[in-house]
Each structure stands twice: as structure tokens, then as C-alpha cells.
């Protein structure tokens, strides 16, 4: 096996396809997809090439090769292990109707075994097992066998594993065959071992996708006129193999960044190492995303960027790294030092990258401070015995309740580990089961309520959806005032563009009623009333007259969001809800009902939008 630097590997790959196999090298595209609403980021090398996979002619011909930097958030929870990244570089070669399975597999095999000189007996393969949409890919398996991969090293897997694409909801896709390298504890894999029966010790390094289908809007697959090949090799993973290191973080280009975050003598502590890896990955991603023109905020990809930076800071905090503004820029500078020779835009944007990170770090620091204040307040309330409860088996221990721990996580970004640490300093233990329950409830609520635009746990709490969420409460209250107290929520669905609210009412609303509801909501927005919540029991919420869907979805503690001020008698709405909401109604902007219609017997539906509010909002807090 050859030992190659990351740079040399990049070069060897491109040269192999250009010089030996007549491909044309094309530049990598921006991380921000052009004219493509189906994804937030460029997730693979094939992504900018979708029109050509669908039959459009590419100006550089039908055989292309490049290195594409990619962002994928769906594996974000795996980041911190030895091989998963949200930002990575992908080496890829494509055929638009030129070579197909035989050609692609032969070239992959030749590159791995002749150029990189990887030992054949440490390679294994998976192929598509077949289902009702497409047949089993025996053809690929036979080609591998003809090249000398023994039958026992070829596994067959279902669509979940051996099928790629489309990148969004629709588009080119097809069965794939994946290449794996043995990284198990023994020098060679045991007889019969392959990735279909051992997921741990085989590292996926390359994927050849045979794009011969187009997935349509209705979920069906039609054969493409042009049969294509899309391959993707993980640069960091292959560099790890060639350099004989334990993880992608220890390759020549990543190691200096890791060292900058955590001293090598501390890597033995696996928890610390995990956090350090998360920091390296997330800030590497953030640096590249900013270089490609995005700034952190609360919508779409800017929100993903914000979450990446904040997750990195949380990890920094968890391992005791000071973060008062200069931590993230320091790491970014190392990222630029390592990658700037290949990605020139990192160098030209260095100042901008650093100042954006500094600002975000400072701002998040303030949110964390607020969270700390909330924590301290909760502890003193506990001490006063107001919220304290005793563990039945031990009447001396006081627990920190799970709902508050979840609130710290949800509103202030406190990971449970941080709350546990802070609680331990106060001699308290955290009700982790309660936290997990609150977490699950919240996830169920947001799953039910949101059209999934973000994957990988980055749920949509953007400024726009938050405004619409508060507008929904105002609408609910206004409908009850105009149509009567029988009105109850039957469903709610919010996207970044509009709200949709279903409620029981037997007749079509008149134009006058619609206008009156709209007027009432806008009046409350004009009045710029405060919005805040408090925690109480379901019984307590009922007593104070809060509206809600009183079914089993609520835990023992609920949040009641109040719009208006009790002391000034300006309360307009009182509703049980998980949040988040804007902190003042004035942030919502103008409210406009676009449609009123029937959805079922006795159930009406309203669609409404808000316009003209500020781009940045403050989130309603505990009163
Ligand atoms: N699109 C495929 C992947 O991302 C191959 O490039 O794995």
C-alpha cells in the first residue's frame, strides 16, 4: 500500500481519470446549490451535475472527474466517532451515458489496487439486493468476482444501504456498489466476513452509483434514457487508510486542527476526544460555509450554520475551553492554513470568516449566560422548597427536574451534560428520565407540526416559523372571540411561508367574520404586547383558563404561553404550547388571511401569512 498525503491522493485520483482514462477535470462547485430548492447544501459531487445526469449536454463532455467539498447534516449525531463528518471532500468520476457498470467497476478496482496498492484481501463489496422497484444487481457482483474479489467478500443489501439518490425528493438515482476496507482488530478479515454481516470493522471508502432511474414526484421510478455513473470516494477516509491512522481526524490535513483544539496527551480521555472531534468537524464545516457566502441567522442554511457553530461552542464548553470570542476564529485560522492552498476563497475571506465567527461566539456566550441565570434561579426556587420533590427512597436527595433541564437545553442550548455538571456542583442530581421524556415529547410535537426541511435533528425554529407560530395563537383566540368559545384547534401546520390552522365550526365564515378576525389579530400585533410563558400542571393550566388540546400528549408539567399582561388586563391569549414564540407581538408583522375553506364535516381550515416583520426575532422567555 502506498503512503500518500491528502494532497497527493487528490492529485493521483484526478490524474488517473484524466491521463489514463480520458476524463476531463472540472472545478468543484459552491456549497450553496444554484437554483435548486431540493437541498440546502451541496451534499455530493453529483449534485451540481443533476441536469447532465438527466440528459442535458455537459460543456466538458461525457466523462468528468473532480474533487467536491460537501456538507451533509444527516449523520450529525455520529460525528465524534472515527469516521463521520458533516464536511468532507469527495473525489468523483462521472459518465453521462458513456461507460456503465463494467467500465466504472474496472476503473475503481484498478485505482484501488494498482495506484493506491491496497491489498485485495482487505477489500470487500456490497451490491443492491433488489426489490419491487429494481432487480438484484448480480451484474455488478459478477464483475467484481471476475476481477478477483471472492464471493464471500460480496454482500447484498437493501435500498436503505445500496441505493443512491435522488439528492432531493425527485431526480436521478439508482443501485450502487460500495467498496470497503478492513480496519478490524485482526490483520486480515476472517473467512466469510463482509460489510453485510459486520458493520463495524469495514470502512466504506467509495461508492459507484449506477444512475439509471428517475424518481418522480409521485414516488415511482422511471428508467432514464441515458444510463449514467456517479462515483464518490471519501477523501478523508482513504487518506486515513493510506496513512495508517486511527481516524479521519489524524490525517495530515486534519491533525493540526485537532491538535489546535486538544493537546495530544489528553486524547486518551474518549469523551474529551469526542468533543474535540466535534469541534474540528463543525468549525471546518462553518469555515467553508461562510467562505461560500453564508452568515449565521435563523433561517434555512444560515440556521444550519448557526447550529454548527453553537454545537462546536457547546463542545468547547464541555471540555473546559474558554470561549469569549476568539476560540472559533483561532480554529478557523488553522482550517484555512490547512486547506487554503486548495480552496483559495478561504484565504481571500479569512477576515470575514473570523469576524463572523467572533460575533456569533460572543452572541451565543450571552445566551449561555442567560441560561446560567435561569439555572441559578431554578436552584434557589428548589432550595426554597417550592418545586422540590424528594426521591421516595431517599428523603435527603433533591433532584433537578427533567422539564427544567429540557427547557435549558431547548431555549438556552444547554446540553444535559452541562446541566448535570452544574447541578452536581450544587449537590443535586438531574432527573434524566424526565429530561429524556420531555425531549421525546418535544420531538413528537415538532415532527407532527413541521414539514421536514432540515434533516439531522436541525428542526426548523426559524424566525419566520416562530412568528407564524405566535400568529397561530392570536388567530385561535380571535376566532373564539368572533365565532364563539366552541372553537377549538383541530390541527396546525406551519412552514416558513405560511400557517395552516384547522378548527371546528359548522359554517363557512362570512367575509365580515374573516375581516374581523384579521383586524383583531393585527390590532394585537400593533399593540406590541409581551409574550411569555410559565410552567404549571395540566390542572393548573385548566384553572387559569388556558386553551389546549387536553389529551395524553402533555407531560406532568406544561408551558402556558400568555400574550399580553395580566397586571394591565391586556391578556389576549393563553394557550398550552411547547413554543417557541416571539417575545413581543410587534415582531410578527402584518397578518393576512389568504383562504378559508372546509376540510371535513364541521372542520374549517384557514391559511394565513405574515409579512414585513424583522428578520431577526427574540424568543419569548419564562415570565
Ligand atoms: N452520490 C454518491 C454518494 O454520495 C456517489 O457519489 O455516495
Amino acid at each position: 500500500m502506498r503512503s500518500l498525503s491528502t494532497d497527493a491522493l487528490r492529485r493521483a485520483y484526478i490524474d488517473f481519470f484524466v491521463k489514463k482514462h480520458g476524463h476531463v477535470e472540472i472545478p468543484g462547485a459552491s456549497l450553496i446549490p444554484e437554483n435548486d430548492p431540493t437541498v440546502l447544501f451541496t451534499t455530493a459531487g453529483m449534485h451540481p451535475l443533476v441536469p447532465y445526469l438527466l440528459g442535458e449536454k455537459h460543456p466538458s463532455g461525457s466523462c468528468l472527474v473532480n474533487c467536491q467539498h460537501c456538507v451533509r447534516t444527516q449523520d450529525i449525531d455520529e460525528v465524534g466517532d472515527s469516521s463521520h463528518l458533516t464536511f468532507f471532500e469527495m473525489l468523483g468520476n462521472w459518465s453521462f451515458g458513456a461507460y456503465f457498470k463494467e467500465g466504472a467497476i474496472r476503473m475503481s478496482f484498478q485505482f484501488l489496487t494498482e495506484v493506491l496498492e491496497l491489498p485485495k484481501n482487505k477489500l470487500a463489496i456490497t451490491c443492491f439486493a433488489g426489490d419491487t422497484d429494481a432487480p438484484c444487481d448480480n451484474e455488478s457482483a459478477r464483475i467484481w468476482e471476475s476481477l478477483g474479489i471472492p464471493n464471500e467478500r460480496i454482500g447484498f443489501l437493501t435500498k436503505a444501504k445500496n441505493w443512491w439518490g435522488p439528492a432531493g425528493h425527485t431526480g436521478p438515482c439508482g443501485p450502487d456498489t460500495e467498496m470497503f476496507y478492513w480496519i478490524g482488530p485482526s490483520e486480515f478479515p476472517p473467512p466469510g466476513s463482509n460489510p453485510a454481516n459486520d458493520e463495524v470493522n469495514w470502512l466504506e471508502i467509495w461508492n459507484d452509483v449506477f444512475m439509471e432511474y428517475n424518481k418522480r414526484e409521485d414516488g415511482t421510478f422511471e428508467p432514464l434514457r441515458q444510463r449514467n455513473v456517479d462515483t464518490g470516494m471519501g477523501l478523508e477516509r482513504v487518506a486515513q487508510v493510506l496513512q495508517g491512522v486511527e481516524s479521519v481526524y489524524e490525517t495530515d490535513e486534519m491533525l493540526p486542527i485537532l491538535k489546535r483544539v486538544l493537546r495530544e496527551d489528553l486524547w486518551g480521555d474518549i469523551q474529551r476526544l469526542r468533543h474535540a472531534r466535534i469541534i474540528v468537524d463543525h468549525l471546518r464545516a462553518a469555515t467553508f460555509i461562510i467562505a461560500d457566502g453564508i452568515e449565521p441567522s435563523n433561517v434555512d442554511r444560515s440556521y444550519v450554520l448557526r447550529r454548527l457553530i453553537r454545537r462546536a461552542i457547546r463542545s468547547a464548553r464541555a471540555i473546559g475551553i474558554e470561549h469569549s470570542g476568539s476560540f472559533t476564529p483561532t480554529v478557523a485560522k488553522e482550517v484555512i492554513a490547512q486547506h487554503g492552498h486548495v480552496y483559495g476563497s478561504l484565504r481571500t475571506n479569512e477576515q470575514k470568516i473570523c469576524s463572523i465567527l467572533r460575533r456569533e461566539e460572543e452572541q451565543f456566550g450571552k445566551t449561555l449566560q442567560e441560561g446560567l441565570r435561569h439555572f441559578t434561579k431554578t436552584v434557589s426556587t428548589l432550595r426554597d422548597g417550592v418545586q422540590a420533590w424528594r426521591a421516595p427512597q431517599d428523603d435527603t436527595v433533591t433532584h433537578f427536574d427533567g422539564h427544567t433541564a429540557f427547557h435549558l437545553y431547548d431555549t438556552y442550548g444547554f446540553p444535559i451534560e452541562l446541566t448535570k455538571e452544574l447541578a452536581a456542583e450544587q449537590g443535586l442530581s438531574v432527573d434524566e428520565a424526565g429530561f429524556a421524556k420531555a425531549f421525546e415529547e418535544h420531538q413528537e410535537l415538532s415532527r407532527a407540526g413541521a414539514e421536514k426541511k432540515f434533516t439531522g435533528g436541525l428542526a426548523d425554529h426559524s424566525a419566520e416559523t416562530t412568528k407564524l407560530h405566535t400568529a397561530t395563537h392570536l388567530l385561535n383566540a380571535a376566532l373564539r372571540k368572533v365565532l364563539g368559545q366552541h372553537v377549538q384547534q383541530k390541527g396546525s401546520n406551519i412552514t416558513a411561508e405560511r400557517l395552516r390552522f384547522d378548527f371546528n365550526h359548522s359554517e363557512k365564515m362570512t367575509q365580515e367574520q374573516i375581516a374581523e378576525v384579521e383586524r383583531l389579530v393585527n390590532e394585537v400585533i400593533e399593540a406590541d404586547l409581551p409574550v411569555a410563558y410559565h410552567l404549571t400542571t395540566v390542572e393548573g393550566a385548566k384553572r387559569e383558563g388556558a386553551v389546549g388540546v387536553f389529551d395524553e400528549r402533555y407531560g406532568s408539567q406544561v408551558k402556558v404561553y400568555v400574550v399580553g399582561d395580566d397586571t394591565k388586563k391586556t391578556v389576549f391569549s393563553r394557550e398550552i404550547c411547547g413554543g417557541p414564540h416571539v417575545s413581543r407581538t410587534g415582531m410578527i408583522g402584518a397578518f393576512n388571511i389568504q383562504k378559508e375553506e372546509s376540510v371535513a364535516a364541521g372542520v374549517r381550515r384557514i391559511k394565513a401569512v405574515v409579512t414585513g416583520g424583522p428578520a431577526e426575532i427574540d424568543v419569548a422567555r419564562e415570565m
Side-chain angles (χ1 to χ4, degrees):
M1 177 165 73
R2 284 172 72 190
S3 169
L4 293 180
S5 69
T6 305
D7 248 349
L9 169 60
R10 233 188 245 110
R11 210 54 258 163
Y13 187 92
I14 305 280
D15 281 353
F16 174 77
F17 284 97
V18 170
K19 296 186 180 153
K20 274 218 159 78
H21 296 285
H23 287 56
V24 175
E25 182 182 0
I26 55 165
S30 164
L31 280 175
I32 318 308
E34 248 175 73
N35 303 324
D36 187 343
T38 62
V39 288
L40 288 176
F41 292 102
T42 298
T43 57
M46 54 75 68
H47 202 159
L49 301 171
V50 168
Y52 312 104
L53 294 164
L54 288 172
E56 195 73 26
K57 238 183 138 41
H58 193 283
S60 297
S62 58
C63 298
L64 306 180
V65 61
N66 85 351
C67 179
Q68 174 66 53
H69 57 308
C70 306
V71 165
R72 276 187 199 176
T73 50
Q74 68 260 42
D75 289 338
I76 198 162
D77 292 327
E78 320 283 332
V79 172
D81 69 1
S82 61
S83 63
H84 285 89
L85 296 165
T86 61
F87 173 88
F88 61 97
E89 290 177 81
M90 182 183 280
L91 295 161
N93 56 288
W94 294 275
S95 152
F96 305 132
Y99 55 88
F100 201 50
K101 292 185 181 175
E102 174 96 26
I105 293 174
R106 278 188 181 281
M107 286 188 280
S108 291
F109 186 76
Q110 194 187 6
F111 183 72
L112 292 176
T113 57
E114 291 175 25
V115 180
L116 303 184
E117 296 171 11
L118 294 183
K120 248 188 258 183
N121 50 7
K122 287 185 147 194
L123 290 174
I125 303 296
T126 59
C127 296
F128 178 54
D131 60 17
T132 49
D133 295 322
C136 174
D137 191 6
N138 282 316
E139 188 186 346
S140 293
R142 272 200 301 273
I143 299 167
W144 286 114
E145 280 187 69
S146 76
L147 293 168
I149 300 286
N151 185 276
E152 60 168 5
R153 296 275 180 256
I154 303 177
F156 286 86
L157 292 169
T158 61
K159 204 180 241 130
K161 296 273 185 186
N162 278 78
W163 182 277
W164 211 89
H169 296 302
T170 56
C173 55
D176 65 44
T177 178
E178 302 187 355
M179 291 148 261
F180 293 76
Y181 190 74
W182 176 252
I183 52 163
S186 54
E187 192 181 353
F188 293 102
S193 174
N194 68 52
N197 56 38
D198 176 357
E199 282 195 14
V200 179
N201 295 308
W202 291 100
L203 178 70
E204 184 195 337
I205 52 174
W206 200 353
N207 185 8
D208 286 0
V209 187
F210 304 117
M211 294 203 160
E212 43 181 336
Y213 296 97
N214 180 39
K215 187 174 182 189
R216 287 184 287 219
E217 199 57 66
D218 64 3
T220 57
F221 297 84
E222 63 180 346
L224 283 173
R225 268 193 307 279
Q226 170 182 296
R227 295 200 300 176
N228 310 292
V229 175
D230 151 35
T231 94
M233 171 188 270
L235 177 75
E236 293 84 352
R237 288 186 180 184
V238 178
Q240 171 195 338
V241 166
L242 296 176
Q243 294 168 23
V245 290
E246 296 281 304
S247 75
V248 287
Y249 296 92
E250 288 150 69
T251 60
D252 57 332
E253 285 189 359
M254 300 267 291
L255 184 67
I257 314 171
L258 182 63
K259 282 187 172 167
R260 171 74 54 159
V261 171
L262 188 67
R263 281 197 345 245
E264 204 169 341
D265 56 315
L266 301 174
W267 293 359
D269 176 343
I270 188 69
Q271 273 315 319
R272 275 201 199 186
L273 182 60
R274 216 185 135 73
H275 281 299
R277 287 170 171 175
I278 291 172
I279 295 167
V280 171
D281 169 73
H282 287 12
L283 292 181
R284 204 161 80 109
T287 303
F288 275 87
I289 293 172
I290 299 171
D292 278 352
I294 302 298
E295 296 195 15
S297 82
N298 288 337
V299 281
D300 286 353
R301 54 180 73 92
S302 297
Y303 184 61
V304 175
L305 170 61
R306 169 162 283 167
R307 293 295 302 263
L308 287 166
I309 300 169
R310 293 188 169 193
R311 281 176 67 112
I313 295 173
R314 282 197 235 147
S315 276
R317 190 180 177 90
I319 56 176
I321 294 174
E322 171 68 19
H323 57 90
S324 51
S326 56
F327 167 63
T328 52
T330 310
V331 180
K333 279 192 184 134
E334 192 61 55
V335 172
I336 297 166
Q338 294 309 316
H339 299 287
H341 66 292
V342 182
Y343 297 92
S345 68
L346 294 179
R347 287 190 178 149
T348 46
N349 286 299
E350 176 154 353
Q351 274 206 321
K352 182 174 141 197
I353 293 166
C354 291
S355 73
I356 287 174
L357 285 172
R358 182 170 300 110
R359 206 172 57 219
E360 187 67 16
E361 186 176 327
E362 285 168 357
Q363 205 177 325
F364 187 46
K366 284 189 202 130
T367 309
L368 283 173
Q369 285 309 323
E370 275 180 43
L372 274 177
R373 271 200 292 280
H374 182 80
F375 176 86
T376 316
K377 201 172 112 199
T378 310
V379 170
S380 62
T381 322
L382 268 176
R383 287 263 144 76
D384 294 346
V386 179
Q387 287 183 15
W389 60 276
R390 309 269 178 207
Q393 71 279 35
D394 179 0
D395 63 4
T396 62
V397 181
T398 306
H399 290 248
F400 190 89
D401 81 279
H403 268 89
T404 311
F406 177 72
H407 174 58
L408 284 169
Y409 165 82
D410 193 35
T411 306
Y412 303 102
F414 273 37
I416 184 74
E417 289 74 28
L418 177 58
T419 305
K420 270 163 63 184
E421 240 167 66
L422 293 169
E425 283 169 18
Q426 303 290 328
L428 303 169
S429 62
V430 177
D431 172 17
E432 286 186 65
F435 172 84
K437 189 157 172 275
F439 190 89
E440 259 171 42
E441 281 165 9
H442 176 84
Q443 281 195 321
E444 271 159 31
L445 284 179
S446 45
R447 246 202 307 279
E451 279 180 7
K452 272 202 129 187
K453 189 156 188 189
F454 297 102
T455 51
L458 300 171
D460 184 6
H461 285 175
S462 68
E464 290 316 305
T465 56
T466 308
K467 290 175 197 168
L468 285 164
H469 198 172
T470 311
T472 303
H473 281 212
L474 301 185
L475 172 63
N476 193 354
L479 286 168
R480 288 166 65 86
K481 287 192 196 348
V482 175
L483 302 178
Q485 299 294 315
H486 65 277
V487 167
Q488 281 200 344
Q489 170 170 336
K490 291 291 170 203
S492 165
N493 175 299
I494 295 171
T495 70
E497 285 77 35
R498 53 112 184 101
L499 69 82
R500 199 178 76 194
F501 186 75
D502 298 346
F503 59 100
N504 58 317
H505 186 58
S506 48
E507 291 144 18
K508 183 172 174 55
M509 284 174 75
T510 64
Q511 280 309 317
E512 291 71 36
Q513 286 170 331
I514 294 175
E516 177 60 6
V517 166
E518 214 174 66
R519 191 192 64 74
L520 271 175
V521 172
N522 280 312
E523 193 175 57
V524 174
I525 293 173
E526 288 274 350
D528 198 22
L529 296 181
V531 184
Y533 72 87
H534 55 270
L535 289 169
T536 178
T537 59
V538 176
E539 284 317 307
K542 276 188 187 162
R543 266 200 305 278
E544 66 179 274
V547 298
V549 189
F550 292 97
D551 60 16
E552 58 292 332
R553 84 173 57 168
Y554 298 129
S556 57
Q557 289 253 305
V558 293
K559 276 161 130 181
V560 173
Y561 274 90
V562 178
V563 178
D565 192 338
D566 262 320
T567 60
K568 295 187 185 137
K569 304 221 179 318
T570 58
V571 172
F572 185 76
S573 146
R574 204 185 277 280
E575 186 167 338
I576 298 182
C577 175
H581 286 277
V582 296
S583 64
R584 299 199 73 93
T585 55
M587 290 170 195
I588 296 173
F591 174 80
N592 182 260
I593 294 179
Q594 305 216 302
K595 207 170 192 176
E596 192 271 349
E597 63 190 317
S598 163
V599 269
V603 181
R604 311 292 306 174
R605 166 171 291 180
I606 283 182
K607 285 189 183 156
V609 296
V610 297
T611 48
E616 294 269 351
I617 49 123
D618 287 325
V619 172
R621 305 210 182 283
E622 194 169 6
M623 62 179 56

